[in-house]
Every structure is written in structure tokens, then in C-alpha cells.
């Protein structure tokens, strides 16, 4: 049973916008929000006054002084005066959290057209500020000093995985190389250089170990950027065909690390199961997926959480070519967070926009051959807040 069958109405992505990701010194949070919101509204073929509600995904966590950005989207047009606008925060899943809140407004009947934005400015802040801000998303390390930050937390996940299943150093290097190669074709990506497997697998002066066993190429960069999408209950006559939300899932895990299996990512698995069940499809019915590879070990674990492989067998997906652009389930054709960049509040919305572009044949050099169905997975913390969407071409 699809979302449309369950709720008796469609949720359609009818327009979208996307900024470049990277160190955007000439952009502010406001300018990024206005840029992508304007693009999304124009692309949807509507007037700003037709927006019933706005949701803005932003993490912030002390990385910038302005902690109340919900009304910045109103700068797009005077027609947006008095439109309800809410900031949504759920760590690095803030963008998808905003997307699902917008979806629920449509399903509840309190809105017919919703503007969802994800945005973050990070690169202006010092490494210590960014590190402390991101560690605010961890129960055990929030407010504590750390030389490795969130990289250290995922390095611990990788160590636990290797202790249980064996070394994955080369596999992680292959995942990094895949996503860097894919990022070359993404005009929005922060890192657009094909580094090759040998470089990504090898510790060197240009690719140092950040937190054993994670090298610099295993880590997503600090980024600025934004993305936006218009959600509607009916087609709006926009620049492209709309994309249908077929199903969605959300699951949160326990916050203290002591209450979680470090490599099972149980709530992540549940979020996948819920989204696929609502859409009425199996993993083998997806044509591609955009997943949350904040670190390469996260993408490896995602192969297992989504059900592509059994636990401990994630390496098969990369070693047998399943997740490459020409494989049976391409993963992170955009370059993922690894190469595209990870402005944390923007990431979830960006993933939906990239997927919508693929499904409407407007992804340019990233374009796959005729995809009809996709999944988007976005995660906050170490497998804590988990969101999955299943999207379909109309």
C-alpha cells in the first residue's frame, strides 16, 4: 500500500532549487535561503503567495550567532508575509526532518503547498567551533574536548565493525573513490576530483589518518549550502514533471552509546523498513539511492541496514560492483556527502532534490538511464535520528 493509497492524497515534489556546496565566502545564510527558495518556487510554476507553510531545516548548534532563521525565507517576496514558518532541527537529519514535517502538513490537510528548505553556514566558524557544535549531537561527548570530533565517533564504529567482521580499510577506500569519481559530474559538489582507489586507500601526507582507521578521504568536508523543494497535493504546472513521494519512514534510536549495538544501526534499519513498507516495494525495486555517507563506514553500514546485504557482508556491494553507477543499485551518484559536501541542515533536502532531478531526467552529467524509483536516507548522530523517503517518477 503506497502513501497515496493509505492517506487518500498525493504528496508531490513540484519544484526545487539547489545552491553550490563548499566554502561560500560571499554568501550568507539569508542569501542561500533566498536563492534556493526562489528557484524552487519558480521551478514549481507558482507564485510565492500560494505557499501555505514553510519549514526550514538547520542544525546550527552554535556554529553561527543567528539562532532564529525561520522567517528568512520571507525575504523572497512580500507575498510571504504572515506565512507560518518553522525551523526544524534533528542534528544532521534536520533537512529530512523538515521534509517530513512538510509532508505531514499536507497529509493533515492544514496546507496544500509547502516550501521546505535546508540550509547551513559552517565554513566561517573555526574548526574548534564546528567540532564542538557537531559533538552536541552525541550524548556521551557533548560539551567535552576532543581532538578528532565526530570522526572519532565513527572511527569507533569502524573499529567495532572490524573486530566483529574483519578489516574494511580497502573497502572504505573504494567507497571514497567511487563517491569522489561521481562528484566530478555534479556541478553542485564541493569536491570535484577523481582521486582514484590507490590514493583513497593509502595513508599519505595528502591523505592523513584523521582517526584510525578513517583517513581524510573517508570524511565528508565542512560545507556551506542550501536546497529547497516545494511539496504539493497536486501538480502545479512547473518546469518539469512532478515526483511522487511513495513512502517515508522515521525511527530514533536510544541516545547513550551503551544502549546501542555499535554496528547494527537498528533504528536506521527500521526507518528503511517503514519507508519501503509504506511504498509497497522491496529494495530490489529501487533504481538508485542517495544515502548519508558522512563517513565511508556509514555508507558501508547502510548497504546492510537497507537490506542490500546481510550484516557483515556490506563489502560485497562494493566489491561486486552493485553500488556503482552501472550497478544494480547505484548509491550516491551525486558524490554523496563525501564529495558533494555536508552543510548539515541542507543535506536531507539536497538528497531529495538530487533524486527528483534524476527521476525527471534533469540531472545533467549525473543522469542515470531512465530511473523510475529512488530512496533517500538521511541520518542524525551515530544512527540516532533516521529518515528514509521513497520517491517515484510520475
Amino acid at each position: 500500500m503506497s502513501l497515496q493509497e493509505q492517506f487518500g492524497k498525493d504528496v508531490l515534489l513540484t519544484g526545487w532549487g539547489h545552491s553550490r556546496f563548499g566554502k561560500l565566502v560571499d554568501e550568507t545564510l539569508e542569501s542561500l535561503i533566498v536563492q534556493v527558495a526562489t528557484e524552487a518556487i519558480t521551478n514549481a510554476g507558482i507564485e510565492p503567495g500560494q505557499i501555505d507553510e514553510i519549514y526550514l531545516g538547520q542544525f546550527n548548534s552554535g556554529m553561527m550567532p543567528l539562532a532564529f532563521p525561520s522567517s528568512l525565507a520571507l525575504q523572497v517576496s512580500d507575498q510571504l508575509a504572515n506565512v507560518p514558518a518553522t525551523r526544524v532541527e534533528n542534528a544532521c537529519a534536520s533537512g529530512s526532518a523538515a521534509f517530513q514535517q512538510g509532508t505531514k502538513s499536507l497529509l493533515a490537510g492544514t496546507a496544500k503547498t509547502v516550501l521546505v528548505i535546508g540550509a547551513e553556514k559552517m565554513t566561517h566558524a573555526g574548526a574548534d567551533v564546528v567540532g564542538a557544535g557537531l559533538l552536541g549531537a552525541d550524548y556521551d561527548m557533548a560539551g567535552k574536548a576532543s581532538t578528532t570530533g565526530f570522526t572519532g565517533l565513527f572511527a569507533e564504529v569502524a573499529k567495532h565493525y572490524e573486530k566483529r567482521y574483519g578489516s574494511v580499510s580497502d573497502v572504505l577506500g573504494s567507497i571514497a573513490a567511487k563517491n569522489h569519481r561521481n562528484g566530478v559530474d555534479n556541478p553542485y559538489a564541493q569536491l570535484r576530483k577523481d582521486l582514484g582507489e590507490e590514493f583513497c586507500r593509502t595513508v599519505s601526507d595528502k591523505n592523513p589518518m584523521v582517526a584510525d582507521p578513517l583517513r581524510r578521504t573517508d570524511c565528508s568536508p565542512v560545507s556551506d549550502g542550501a536546497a529547497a523543494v516545494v511539496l504539493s497535493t497536486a501538480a502545479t504546472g512547473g518546469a518539469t514533471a512532478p515526483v511522487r513521494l511513495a513512502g517515508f519512514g522515521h525511527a530514533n534510536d536510544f541516545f547513550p552509546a551503551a544502549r546501542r549495538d555499535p554496528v547494527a544501526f537498528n533504528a536506521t534499519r527500521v526507518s528503511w523498513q517503514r519507508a519501503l513498507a509504506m511504498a509497497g516495494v522491496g529494495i530490489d525495486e529501487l533504481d538508485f539511492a542517495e544515502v548519508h555517507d558522512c563517513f565511508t563506514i556509514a555508507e558501508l553500514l547502510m548497504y546492510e541496514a537497507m537490506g542490500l546485504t546481510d550484516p557483515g557482508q556490506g563489502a560485497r556491494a562494493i566489491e561486486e560492483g552493485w553500488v556503482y553507477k552501472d550497478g544494480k543499485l547505484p548509491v550516491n551518484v551525486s558524490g554523496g556527502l563525501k564529495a558533494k559536501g555536508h552543510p548539515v541542515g541542507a543535506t536531507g533536502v539536497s538528497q531529495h532534490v538530487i533524486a527528483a532531478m534524476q527521476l525527471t531526467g534533469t540531472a545533467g552529467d549525473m543522469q542515470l538511464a531512465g530511473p523510475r524509483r529512488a530512496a533517500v536516507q538521511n541520518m542524525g548522530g551515530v544512527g540516532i535520528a533516521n529518515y528514509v523517503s521513497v520517491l517515484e517518477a510520475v
Side-chain angles (χ1 to χ4, degrees):
M1 179 179 291
S2 68
L3 179 151
Q4 199 279 336
E5 293 168 329
Q6 183 172 338
F7 293 97
K9 63 176 69 175
D10 263 329
V11 173
L12 300 175
L13 289 69
T14 54
W16 42 83
H18 202 296
S19 80
R20 187 169 61 86
F21 282 6
K23 187 174 184 178
L24 309 180
V25 295
D26 296 326
E27 300 285 356
T28 64
L29 183 68
E30 179 179 334
S31 69
L32 287 167
I33 288 171
V34 170
Q35 174 195 332
V36 298
T38 301
E39 288 178 6
I41 292 168
T42 301
N43 184 249
I46 63 173
E47 293 297 321
Q50 293 175 258
I51 300 293
D52 298 315
E53 198 163 2
I54 299 168
Y55 286 99
L56 169 64
Q58 186 218 21
F59 180 41
N60 193 345
S61 190
M63 289 185 286
M64 67 176 301
L66 181 64
F68 182 44
S70 57
S71 278
L72 290 179
L74 275 58
Q75 300 296 87
V76 169
S77 170
D78 289 349
Q79 294 181 42
L80 291 173
N82 302 315
V83 171
T86 305
R87 175 192 170 211
V88 180
E89 184 278 310
N90 220 0
C92 296
S94 295
S96 286
F99 182 91
Q100 286 201 11
Q101 288 304 119
T103 295
K104 290 173 182 178
S105 288
L106 297 184
L107 295 178
T110 57
K112 293 183 179 179
T113 306
V114 174
L115 174 63
V116 178
I117 306 164
E120 206 78 62
K121 277 286 289 182
M122 303 172 69
T123 64
H124 64 283
D128 56 337
V129 175
V130 173
L134 295 177
L135 281 176
D138 187 75
Y139 179 89
D140 301 289
M141 289 301 298
K144 297 180 180 178
S146 172
T147 58
T148 56
F150 235 80
T151 307
L153 299 180
F154 274 88
E156 287 302 309
V157 172
K159 288 177 182 177
H160 281 291
Y161 191 95
E162 290 191 320
K163 184 176 181 179
R164 192 175 301 181
Y165 299 118
S167 176
V168 291
S169 179
D170 283 353
V171 171
L172 299 185
S174 295
I175 291 173
K178 169 183 71 71
N179 291 348
H180 274 287
R181 186 160 53 250
N182 288 345
V184 172
D185 295 327
N186 184 352
Y188 305 116
Q190 181 170 355
L191 305 175
R192 301 185 66 187
K193 187 175 182 180
D194 184 354
L195 298 177
E197 287 203 357
E198 185 63 27
F199 180 86
C200 292
R201 287 179 168 187
T202 306
V203 176
S204 65
D205 290 343
K206 292 185 177 180
N207 189 26
M209 189 72 75
V210 179
D212 190 25
L214 301 182
R215 299 147 295 216
R216 179 178 291 165
T217 50
D218 293 306
C219 311
S220 59
V222 173
S223 316
D224 306 325
V229 62
V230 173
L231 300 179
S232 309
T233 54
T236 58
T240 68
V243 170
R244 177 178 290 114
L245 177 64
F248 63 89
H250 172 202
N252 268 51
D253 210 336
F254 295 108
F255 209 6
R259 298 199 65 185
R260 305 190 311 271
D261 182 318
V263 301
F265 278 40
N266 286 320
T268 312
R269 185 181 302 275
V270 171
S271 66
W272 275 97
Q273 292 169 345
R274 288 174 176 168
L276 292 171
M278 183 183 291
V281 300
I283 191 72
D284 57 339
E285 296 175 85
L286 300 177
D287 294 313
F288 69 94
E290 289 288 324
V291 309
H292 193 99
D293 63 321
C294 50
F295 301 93
T296 51
I297 184 63
E299 179 167 329
L300 180 67
L301 285 167
M302 212 51 55
Y303 302 156
E304 301 174 13
M306 71 169 73
L308 189 58
T309 76
D310 290 333
Q313 297 296 311
R316 289 188 62 199
I318 194 83
E319 291 170 349
E320 299 184 25
W322 302 349
V323 292
Y324 287 91
K325 197 168 183 178
D326 58 354
K328 68 178 185 179
L329 183 65
V331 172
N332 287 336
V333 174
S334 68
L337 287 58
K338 174 77 267 295
K340 184 179 61 177
H342 183 30
V344 291
T347 287
V349 182
S350 166
Q351 291 173 310
H352 285 85
V353 169
I354 294 293
M357 292 170 64
Q358 285 283 357
L359 293 169
T360 55
T362 58
D365 290 340
M366 294 183 284
Q367 187 64 52
L368 295 167
R372 302 295 299 170
R373 185 179 292 114
V376 165
Q377 181 269 332
N378 188 200
M379 177 173 67
V382 186
I384 303 297
N386 303 273
Y387 296 82
V388 176
S389 298
V390 177
L391 305 177
E392 295 178 342
V394 175

